Amino acid sequence: VGTRGVARLELKVKGRSAHAGANPEEGRNAAIELVNQIGNLQDLGSNAKDTTVSWTVLNAGSRFNVIPDMATATADVRVYDTSEFDRIQKDADAAITHKIVEQTHVEIAVVPVVPPLARNRSTDCLAAKARKIYQEPGRKLDYSVMRYGTDAGFMYSAAENAPVILDGMGIS
């Protein structure tokens, strides 16, 4: 009867490369700043709204003897409330101002992927009818709001009125 929306949180750090043995002091280590920024951004989720931000992919450097000039990280973002995307962007923009590697450039962007499928009265009514139909042959149907994202969120967000959608009603 409902699912979370999904976004990517994309973090990019630009530094300056230098040879790690010959002149490391001339480099601006993007990997070190990336790790700092992930620390700054680790509390973007919200227990109260069941919003999660999970860092999943980190990339930096290409050779062991070169200070990396570029580093990126991506986090998986899950929300029930689309206003959380804006809140996360605002909080992230504020957090990335705290740098430890001078002369690095940091960018962060929330990139929505799938909107949430919001629970609504019409869907709850349909779920109750489905439960009753399942009971006729002695079957049990449970329904709830799920933490995953689903393409059904696109149908919900495109509708003028709250549509009636049950997601995950596969054969059992």
Side-chain angles (χ1 to χ4, degrees), residues 1 5 11 95 98 103 163-164 166:
V1 294
L11 174 62
H98 306 289
Q103 299 175 16
V164 180
L166 293 180

Side-chain angles (χ1 to χ4, degrees), residues 61-103:
S62 59
R63 298 184 59 168
F64 86 97
N65 63 342
V66 177
I67 304 294
D69 66 343
M70 181 63 70
T72 61
T74 305
D76 177 281
V77 176
R78 303 290 169 130
V79 304
Y80 285 114
D81 177 356
T82 54
S83 70
E84 280 290 271
F85 291 146
D86 292 334
R87 190 225 15 114
I88 289 168
Q89 183 69 61
K90 180 182 168 204
D91 290 355
D93 287 340
I96 65 171
T97 62
H98 306 289
K99 297 191 292 185
I100 62 170
V101 180
E102 294 179 14
Q103 299 175 16

